[in-house]
Amino acid sequence: MNIYMTSGTFEYLRQVKLKNANEQLILLHSADKTILLQETNEPTLFKHPRKYEIVDGIGDLKQEGFVIMNNIPVSEESRPTFEHMFKNRAGKVEEQPGFQALRVLRPVGFETYIILTQWHTESAFDAWQRSKSFQDAHSQKPAKTFTNSSQKIFSGEAFVTKFFVPTFEKE
């Protein structure tokens, strides 16, 4: 399964979503960016998307709620180690109230992985960040886990993007 992403104006991407109601498309919006996601095993309908392979996934992405994307640049030689870490994670997030979905996304043609989580509300995500489960799940940071390795895991600084998932009626 793959996820494809494309950027554009809110109204243009909203129209693409509405015209392709049979596709698994999720519109994401922030103050300065709008993204349309397509989750599929088929070829994408986007002309020039960013492509990701789904390494791990839980739950269904929906056109509702709040999305957090942890963008993590990983060096080419460290991909198997990084993916192993996520495949063997504690699994605490899916037990949290307000959790909807998780996708671990391997980039195709570039190096920034995305850990995408979807929540019913931003406050549900905030509560997760303040929880003991969050602290437990993040107590083994990758830098600590791999300090005995000569391998450089990260190729740049990680960053977080936050999106609201607008709901709207079909036209």
PDB file of all heavy atoms in Angstrom, residues 102-130:
ATOM      1  N   LEU A 102      -2.641   5.511  12.472  1.00  0.00           N
ATOM      2  CA  LEU A 102      -1.196   5.706  12.419  1.00  0.00           C
ATOM      3  C   LEU A 102      -0.692   5.161  11.100  1.00  0.00           C
ATOM      4  O   LEU A 102      -1.150   4.105  10.643  1.00  0.00           O
ATOM      5  CB  LEU A 102      -0.512   4.946  13.571  1.00  0.00           C
ATOM      6  CG  LEU A 102       1.004   4.786  13.438  1.00  0.00           C
ATOM      7  CD1 LEU A 102       1.708   5.895  14.209  1.00  0.00           C
ATOM      8  CD2 LEU A 102       1.462   3.437  13.944  1.00  0.00           C
ATOM      9  N   ARG A 103       0.246   5.868  10.483  1.00  0.00           N
ATOM     10  CA  ARG A 103       0.956   5.368   9.311  1.00  0.00           C
ATOM     11  C   ARG A 103       2.436   5.700   9.484  1.00  0.00           C
ATOM     12  O   ARG A 103       2.781   6.844   9.789  1.00  0.00           O
ATOM     13  CB  ARG A 103       0.463   6.015   8.005  1.00  0.00           C
ATOM     14  CG  ARG A 103      -0.985   5.768   7.654  1.00  0.00           C
ATOM     15  CD  ARG A 103      -1.262   4.314   7.305  1.00  0.00           C
ATOM     16  NE  ARG A 103      -2.638   4.115   6.898  1.00  0.00           N
ATOM     17  CZ  ARG A 103      -3.656   3.897   7.709  1.00  0.00           C
ATOM     18  NH1 ARG A 103      -3.470   3.852   9.015  1.00  0.00           N
ATOM     19  NH2 ARG A 103      -4.871   3.708   7.251  1.00  0.00           N
ATOM     20  N   VAL A 104       3.289   4.700   9.284  1.00  0.00           N
ATOM     21  CA  VAL A 104       4.733   4.914   9.192  1.00  0.00           C
ATOM     22  C   VAL A 104       5.040   4.867   7.705  1.00  0.00           C
ATOM     23  O   VAL A 104       4.826   3.840   7.051  1.00  0.00           O
ATOM     24  CB  VAL A 104       5.522   3.843   9.975  1.00  0.00           C
ATOM     25  CG1 VAL A 104       7.023   4.056   9.809  1.00  0.00           C
ATOM     26  CG2 VAL A 104       5.131   3.856  11.457  1.00  0.00           C
ATOM     27  N   LEU A 105       5.523   5.985   7.174  1.00  0.00           N
ATOM     28  CA  LEU A 105       5.678   6.147   5.729  1.00  0.00           C
ATOM     29  C   LEU A 105       7.141   6.211   5.318  1.00  0.00           C
ATOM     30  O   LEU A 105       7.884   7.099   5.752  1.00  0.00           O
ATOM     31  CB  LEU A 105       4.950   7.417   5.282  1.00  0.00           C
ATOM     32  CG  LEU A 105       3.472   7.500   5.656  1.00  0.00           C
ATOM     33  CD1 LEU A 105       2.896   8.849   5.235  1.00  0.00           C
ATOM     34  CD2 LEU A 105       2.693   6.356   5.036  1.00  0.00           C
ATOM     35  N   ARG A 106       7.543   5.268   4.452  1.00  0.00           N
ATOM     36  CA  ARG A 106       8.900   5.234   3.891  1.00  0.00           C
ATOM     37  C   ARG A 106       8.903   6.056   2.603  1.00  0.00           C
ATOM     38  O   ARG A 106       8.132   5.806   1.679  1.00  0.00           O
ATOM     39  CB  ARG A 106       9.289   3.803   3.554  1.00  0.00           C
ATOM     40  CG  ARG A 106      10.644   3.698   2.849  1.00  0.00           C
ATOM     41  CD  ARG A 106      10.903   2.313   2.264  1.00  0.00           C
ATOM     42  NE  ARG A 106      10.816   1.274   3.262  1.00  0.00           N
ATOM     43  CZ  ARG A 106      10.066   0.175   3.124  1.00  0.00           C
ATOM     44  NH1 ARG A 106       9.327  -0.027   2.045  1.00  0.00           N
ATOM     45  NH2 ARG A 106      10.049  -0.736   4.066  1.00  0.00           N
ATOM     46  N   PRO A 107       9.795   7.048   2.518  1.00  0.00           N
ATOM     47  CA  PRO A 107       9.833   7.868   1.315  1.00  0.00           C
ATOM     48  C   PRO A 107      10.415   7.106   0.125  1.00  0.00           C
ATOM     49  O   PRO A 107      11.284   6.258   0.286  1.00  0.00           O
ATOM     50  CB  PRO A 107      10.757   9.022   1.717  1.00  0.00           C
ATOM     51  CG  PRO A 107      11.660   8.425   2.744  1.00  0.00           C
ATOM     52  CD  PRO A 107      10.819   7.413   3.492  1.00  0.00           C
ATOM     53  N   VAL A 108       9.920   7.412  -1.055  1.00  0.00           N
ATOM     54  CA  VAL A 108      10.442   6.831  -2.294  1.00  0.00           C
ATOM     55  C   VAL A 108      11.097   7.969  -3.070  1.00  0.00           C
ATOM     56  O   VAL A 108      10.433   8.913  -3.489  1.00  0.00           O
ATOM     57  CB  VAL A 108       9.320   6.178  -3.121  1.00  0.00           C
ATOM     58  CG1 VAL A 108       9.856   5.669  -4.461  1.00  0.00           C
ATOM     59  CG2 VAL A 108       8.655   5.059  -2.326  1.00  0.00           C
ATOM     60  N   GLY A 109      12.412   7.908  -3.219  1.00  0.00           N
ATOM     61  CA  GLY A 109      13.139   8.910  -3.997  1.00  0.00           C
ATOM     62  C   GLY A 109      13.682  10.072  -3.170  1.00  0.00           C
ATOM     63  O   GLY A 109      14.255  10.996  -3.726  1.00  0.00           O
ATOM     64  N   PHE A 110      13.518  10.033  -1.867  1.00  0.00           N
ATOM     65  CA  PHE A 110      14.097  11.040  -0.979  1.00  0.00           C
ATOM     66  C   PHE A 110      14.219  10.413   0.398  1.00  0.00           C
ATOM     67  O   PHE A 110      13.928   9.227   0.571  1.00  0.00           O
ATOM     68  CB  PHE A 110      13.286  12.343  -0.983  1.00  0.00           C
ATOM     69  CG  PHE A 110      11.814  12.165  -0.741  1.00  0.00           C
ATOM     70  CD1 PHE A 110      11.258  12.476   0.481  1.00  0.00           C
ATOM     71  CD2 PHE A 110      10.974  11.698  -1.747  1.00  0.00           C
ATOM     72  CE1 PHE A 110       9.911  12.307   0.710  1.00  0.00           C
ATOM     73  CE2 PHE A 110       9.614  11.538  -1.530  1.00  0.00           C
ATOM     74  CZ  PHE A 110       9.082  11.835  -0.294  1.00  0.00           C
ATOM     75  N   GLU A 111      14.656  11.153   1.430  1.00  0.00           N
ATOM     76  CA  GLU A 111      15.034  10.503   2.685  1.00  0.00           C
ATOM     77  C   GLU A 111      14.186  10.827   3.905  1.00  0.00           C
ATOM     78  O   GLU A 111      14.458  10.303   4.982  1.00  0.00           O
ATOM     79  CB  GLU A 111      16.502  10.798   2.993  1.00  0.00           C
ATOM     80  CG  GLU A 111      16.820  12.252   3.157  1.00  0.00           C
ATOM     81  CD  GLU A 111      18.308  12.509   3.300  1.00  0.00           C
ATOM     82  OE1 GLU A 111      19.113  11.665   2.892  1.00  0.00           O
ATOM     83  OE2 GLU A 111      18.654  13.563   3.835  1.00  0.00           O
ATOM     84  N   THR A 112      13.150  11.616   3.796  1.00  0.00           N
ATOM     85  CA  THR A 112      12.382  11.996   4.982  1.00  0.00           C
ATOM     86  C   THR A 112      11.168  11.094   5.189  1.00  0.00           C
ATOM     87  O   THR A 112      10.199  11.155   4.438  1.00  0.00           O
ATOM     88  CB  THR A 112      11.963  13.473   4.910  1.00  0.00           C
ATOM     89  OG1 THR A 112      13.143  14.282   4.792  1.00  0.00           O
ATOM     90  CG2 THR A 112      11.217  13.888   6.166  1.00  0.00           C
ATOM     91  N   TYR A 113      11.263  10.265   6.222  1.00  0.00           N
ATOM     92  CA  TYR A 113      10.137   9.441   6.651  1.00  0.00           C
ATOM     93  C   TYR A 113       9.080  10.331   7.295  1.00  0.00           C
ATOM     94  O   TYR A 113       9.392  11.404   7.806  1.00  0.00           O
ATOM     95  CB  TYR A 113      10.583   8.423   7.711  1.00  0.00           C
ATOM     96  CG  TYR A 113      11.236   7.189   7.154  1.00  0.00           C
ATOM     97  CD1 TYR A 113      12.520   7.237   6.627  1.00  0.00           C
ATOM     98  CD2 TYR A 113      10.578   5.964   7.179  1.00  0.00           C
ATOM     99  CE1 TYR A 113      13.136   6.096   6.138  1.00  0.00           C
ATOM    100  CE2 TYR A 113      11.179   4.821   6.687  1.00  0.00           C
ATOM    101  CZ  TYR A 113      12.462   4.891   6.170  1.00  0.00           C
ATOM    102  OH  TYR A 113      13.051   3.759   5.673  1.00  0.00           O
ATOM    103  N   ILE A 114       7.850   9.845   7.292  1.00  0.00           N
ATOM    104  CA  ILE A 114       6.776  10.535   8.004  1.00  0.00           C
ATOM    105  C   ILE A 114       6.093   9.535   8.929  1.00  0.00           C
ATOM    106  O   ILE A 114       5.714   8.441   8.498  1.00  0.00           O
ATOM    107  CB  ILE A 114       5.742  11.154   7.038  1.00  0.00           C
ATOM    108  CG1 ILE A 114       6.379  12.277   6.227  1.00  0.00           C
ATOM    109  CG2 ILE A 114       4.532  11.674   7.821  1.00  0.00           C
ATOM    110  CD1 ILE A 114       5.440  12.928   5.224  1.00  0.00           C
ATOM    111  N   ILE A 115       5.975   9.935  10.193  1.00  0.00           N
ATOM    112  CA  ILE A 115       5.163   9.192  11.152  1.00  0.00           C
ATOM    113  C   ILE A 115       3.888  10.022  11.288  1.00  0.00           C
ATOM    114  O   ILE A 115       3.896  11.097  11.861  1.00  0.00           O
ATOM    115  CB  ILE A 115       5.861   9.029  12.508  1.00  0.00           C
ATOM    116  CG1 ILE A 115       7.307   8.536  12.349  1.00  0.00           C
ATOM    117  CG2 ILE A 115       5.033   8.115  13.410  1.00  0.00           C
ATOM    118  CD1 ILE A 115       7.487   7.275  11.535  1.00  0.00           C
ATOM    119  N   LEU A 116       2.803   9.523  10.711  1.00  0.00           N
ATOM    120  CA  LEU A 116       1.535  10.244  10.663  1.00  0.00           C
ATOM    121  C   LEU A 116       0.591   9.635  11.688  1.00  0.00           C
ATOM    122  O   LEU A 116       0.391   8.426  11.696  1.00  0.00           O
ATOM    123  CB  LEU A 116       0.952  10.130   9.261  1.00  0.00           C
ATOM    124  CG  LEU A 116      -0.375  10.815   8.950  1.00  0.00           C
ATOM    125  CD1 LEU A 116      -0.447  11.140   7.471  1.00  0.00           C
ATOM    126  CD2 LEU A 116      -1.578  10.004   9.358  1.00  0.00           C
ATOM    127  N   THR A 117       0.047  10.483  12.556  1.00  0.00           N
ATOM    128  CA  THR A 117      -1.017  10.029  13.451  1.00  0.00           C
ATOM    129  C   THR A 117      -2.224  10.925  13.248  1.00  0.00           C
ATOM    130  O   THR A 117      -2.091  12.126  13.041  1.00  0.00           O
ATOM    131  CB  THR A 117      -0.614  10.031  14.947  1.00  0.00           C
ATOM    132  OG1 THR A 117      -0.164  11.321  15.334  1.00  0.00           O
ATOM    133  CG2 THR A 117       0.458   8.993  15.224  1.00  0.00           C
ATOM    134  N   GLN A 118      -3.394  10.305  13.286  1.00  0.00           N
ATOM    135  CA  GLN A 118      -4.648  11.052  13.163  1.00  0.00           C
ATOM    136  C   GLN A 118      -5.432  10.894  14.455  1.00  0.00           C
ATOM    137  O   GLN A 118      -5.511   9.798  15.027  1.00  0.00           O
ATOM    138  CB  GLN A 118      -5.481  10.565  11.978  1.00  0.00           C
ATOM    139  CG  GLN A 118      -6.717  11.423  11.760  1.00  0.00           C
ATOM    140  CD  GLN A 118      -7.454  11.080  10.480  1.00  0.00           C
ATOM    141  OE1 GLN A 118      -7.422   9.967   9.995  1.00  0.00           O
ATOM    142  NE2 GLN A 118      -8.147  12.068   9.931  1.00  0.00           N
ATOM    143  N   TRP A 119      -6.011  12.012  14.897  1.00  0.00           N
ATOM    144  CA  TRP A 119      -6.734  12.103  16.159  1.00  0.00           C
ATOM    145  C   TRP A 119      -8.112  12.693  15.911  1.00  0.00           C
ATOM    146  O   TRP A 119      -8.304  13.434  14.952  1.00  0.00           O
ATOM    147  CB  TRP A 119      -5.951  12.993  17.129  1.00  0.00           C
ATOM    148  CG  TRP A 119      -4.584  12.456  17.392  1.00  0.00           C
ATOM    149  CD1 TRP A 119      -3.463  12.655  16.625  1.00  0.00           C
ATOM    150  CD2 TRP A 119      -4.185  11.595  18.447  1.00  0.00           C
ATOM    151  NE1 TRP A 119      -2.405  11.957  17.156  1.00  0.00           N
ATOM    152  CE2 TRP A 119      -2.819  11.301  18.274  1.00  0.00           C
ATOM    153  CE3 TRP A 119      -4.871  11.034  19.523  1.00  0.00           C
ATOM    154  CZ2 TRP A 119      -2.120  10.478  19.146  1.00  0.00           C
ATOM    155  CZ3 TRP A 119      -4.172  10.221  20.397  1.00  0.00           C
ATOM    156  CH2 TRP A 119      -2.817   9.952  20.199  1.00  0.00           C
ATOM    157  N   HIS A 120      -9.050  12.407  16.817  1.00  0.00           N
ATOM    158  CA  HIS A 120     -10.382  13.002  16.694  1.00  0.00           C
ATOM    159  C   HIS A 120     -10.298  14.518  16.852  1.00  0.00           C
ATOM    160  O   HIS A 120     -11.005  15.256  16.148  1.00  0.00           O
ATOM    161  CB  HIS A 120     -11.352  12.414  17.721  1.00  0.00           C
ATOM    162  CG  HIS A 120     -11.703  10.994  17.436  1.00  0.00           C
ATOM    163  ND1 HIS A 120     -12.433  10.610  16.337  1.00  0.00           N
ATOM    164  CD2 HIS A 120     -11.420   9.853  18.101  1.00  0.00           C
ATOM    165  CE1 HIS A 120     -12.575   9.294  16.330  1.00  0.00           C
ATOM    166  NE2 HIS A 120     -11.970   8.812  17.389  1.00  0.00           N
ATOM    167  N   THR A 121      -9.423  14.984  17.768  1.00  0.00           N
ATOM    168  CA  THR A 121      -9.273  16.420  18.020  1.00  0.00           C
ATOM    169  C   THR A 121      -7.820  16.731  18.355  1.00  0.00           C
ATOM    170  O   THR A 121      -7.053  15.835  18.737  1.00  0.00           O
ATOM    171  CB  THR A 121     -10.136  16.872  19.223  1.00  0.00           C
ATOM    172  OG1 THR A 121      -9.675  16.181  20.391  1.00  0.00           O
ATOM    173  CG2 THR A 121     -11.618  16.611  18.991  1.00  0.00           C
ATOM    174  N   GLU A 122      -7.460  17.998  18.257  1.00  0.00           N
ATOM    175  CA  GLU A 122      -6.124  18.426  18.665  1.00  0.00           C
ATOM    176  C   GLU A 122      -5.928  18.212  20.163  1.00  0.00           C
ATOM    177  O   GLU A 122      -4.844  17.837  20.610  1.00  0.00           O
ATOM    178  CB  GLU A 122      -5.897  19.899  18.302  1.00  0.00           C
ATOM    179  CG  GLU A 122      -4.504  20.380  18.604  1.00  0.00           C
ATOM    180  CD  GLU A 122      -4.240  21.806  18.144  1.00  0.00           C
ATOM    181  OE1 GLU A 122      -5.192  22.527  17.798  1.00  0.00           O
ATOM    182  OE2 GLU A 122      -3.052  22.209  18.133  1.00  0.00           O
ATOM    183  N   SER A 123      -6.978  18.418  20.941  1.00  0.00           N
ATOM    184  CA  SER A 123      -6.860  18.233  22.389  1.00  0.00           C
ATOM    185  C   SER A 123      -6.600  16.766  22.745  1.00  0.00           C
ATOM    186  O   SER A 123      -5.925  16.472  23.732  1.00  0.00           O
ATOM    187  CB  SER A 123      -8.086  18.779  23.122  1.00  0.00           C
ATOM    188  OG  SER A 123      -9.244  18.117  22.695  1.00  0.00           O
ATOM    189  N   ALA A 124      -7.102  15.812  21.963  1.00  0.00           N
ATOM    190  CA  ALA A 124      -6.802  14.392  22.190  1.00  0.00           C
ATOM    191  C   ALA A 124      -5.310  14.137  21.978  1.00  0.00           C
ATOM    192  O   ALA A 124      -4.674  13.412  22.756  1.00  0.00           O
ATOM    193  CB  ALA A 124      -7.638  13.506  21.277  1.00  0.00           C
ATOM    194  N   PHE A 125      -4.746  14.743  20.938  1.00  0.00           N
ATOM    195  CA  PHE A 125      -3.301  14.619  20.706  1.00  0.00           C
ATOM    196  C   PHE A 125      -2.519  15.262  21.853  1.00  0.00           C
ATOM    197  O   PHE A 125      -1.546  14.671  22.351  1.00  0.00           O
ATOM    198  CB  PHE A 125      -2.906  15.270  19.375  1.00  0.00           C
ATOM    199  CG  PHE A 125      -1.422  15.396  19.218  1.00  0.00           C
ATOM    200  CD1 PHE A 125      -0.640  14.283  18.950  1.00  0.00           C
ATOM    201  CD2 PHE A 125      -0.798  16.621  19.367  1.00  0.00           C
ATOM    202  CE1 PHE A 125       0.741  14.396  18.836  1.00  0.00           C
ATOM    203  CE2 PHE A 125       0.574  16.741  19.247  1.00  0.00           C
ATOM    204  CZ  PHE A 125       1.345  15.624  18.973  1.00  0.00           C
ATOM    205  N   ASP A 126      -2.922  16.444  22.276  1.00  0.00           N
ATOM    206  CA  ASP A 126      -2.240  17.121  23.387  1.00  0.00           C
ATOM    207  C   ASP A 126      -2.274  16.269  24.651  1.00  0.00           C
ATOM    208  O   ASP A 126      -1.283  16.182  25.371  1.00  0.00           O
ATOM    209  CB  ASP A 126      -2.875  18.492  23.649  1.00  0.00           C
ATOM    210  CG  ASP A 126      -2.619  19.479  22.525  1.00  0.00           C
ATOM    211  OD1 ASP A 126      -1.695  19.267  21.713  1.00  0.00           O
ATOM    212  OD2 ASP A 126      -3.374  20.471  22.447  1.00  0.00           O
ATOM    213  N   ALA A 127      -3.416  15.630  24.926  1.00  0.00           N
ATOM    214  CA  ALA A 127      -3.537  14.761  26.104  1.00  0.00           C
ATOM    215  C   ALA A 127      -2.573  13.579  25.993  1.00  0.00           C
ATOM    216  O   ALA A 127      -1.947  13.177  26.982  1.00  0.00           O
ATOM    217  CB  ALA A 127      -4.975  14.275  26.261  1.00  0.00           C
ATOM    218  N   TRP A 128      -2.427  13.022  24.796  1.00  0.00           N
ATOM    219  CA  TRP A 128      -1.463  11.929  24.558  1.00  0.00           C
ATOM    220  C   TRP A 128      -0.051  12.397  24.876  1.00  0.00           C
ATOM    221  O   TRP A 128       0.700  11.699  25.551  1.00  0.00           O
ATOM    222  CB  TRP A 128      -1.590  11.444  23.126  1.00  0.00           C
ATOM    223  CG  TRP A 128      -0.388  10.748  22.531  1.00  0.00           C
ATOM    224  CD1 TRP A 128       0.315  11.170  21.452  1.00  0.00           C
ATOM    225  CD2 TRP A 128       0.218   9.522  22.931  1.00  0.00           C
ATOM    226  NE1 TRP A 128       1.330  10.281  21.163  1.00  0.00           N
ATOM    227  CE2 TRP A 128       1.290   9.259  22.066  1.00  0.00           C
ATOM    228  CE3 TRP A 128      -0.036   8.622  23.952  1.00  0.00           C
ATOM    229  CZ2 TRP A 128       2.100   8.142  22.177  1.00  0.00           C
ATOM    230  CZ3 TRP A 128       0.783   7.499  24.073  1.00  0.00           C
ATOM    231  CH2 TRP A 128       1.834   7.258  23.185  1.00  0.00           C
ATOM    232  N   GLN A 129       0.306  13.594  24.440  1.00  0.00           N
ATOM    233  CA  GLN A 129       1.657  14.103  24.697  1.00  0.00           C
ATOM    234  C   GLN A 129       1.927  14.297  26.187  1.00  0.00           C
ATOM    235  O   GLN A 129       3.074  14.207  26.612  1.00  0.00           O
ATOM    236  CB  GLN A 129       1.882  15.423  23.978  1.00  0.00           C
ATOM    237  CG  GLN A 129       2.124  15.262  22.505  1.00  0.00           C
ATOM    238  CD  GLN A 129       2.668  16.534  21.910  1.00  0.00           C
ATOM    239  OE1 GLN A 129       2.040  17.580  21.982  1.00  0.00           O
ATOM    240  NE2 GLN A 129       3.843  16.437  21.339  1.00  0.00           N
ATOM    241  N   ARG A 130       0.912  14.575  26.978  1.00  0.00           N
ATOM    242  CA  ARG A 130       1.074  14.783  28.419  1.00  0.00           C
ATOM    243  C   ARG A 130       0.964  13.475  29.217  1.00  0.00           C
ATOM    244  O   ARG A 130       1.180  13.472  30.422  1.00  0.00           O
ATOM    245  CB  ARG A 130       0.033  15.773  28.934  1.00  0.00           C
ATOM    246  CG  ARG A 130       0.207  17.190  28.416  1.00  0.00           C
ATOM    247  CD  ARG A 130      -0.741  18.165  29.084  1.00  0.00           C
ATOM    248  NE  ARG A 130      -2.138  17.772  29.011  1.00  0.00           N
ATOM    249  CZ  ARG A 130      -2.981  18.107  28.041  1.00  0.00           C
ATOM    250  NH1 ARG A 130      -2.580  18.869  27.040  1.00  0.00           N
ATOM    251  NH2 ARG A 130      -4.241  17.695  28.062  1.00  0.00           N
TER     252      ARG A 130
END
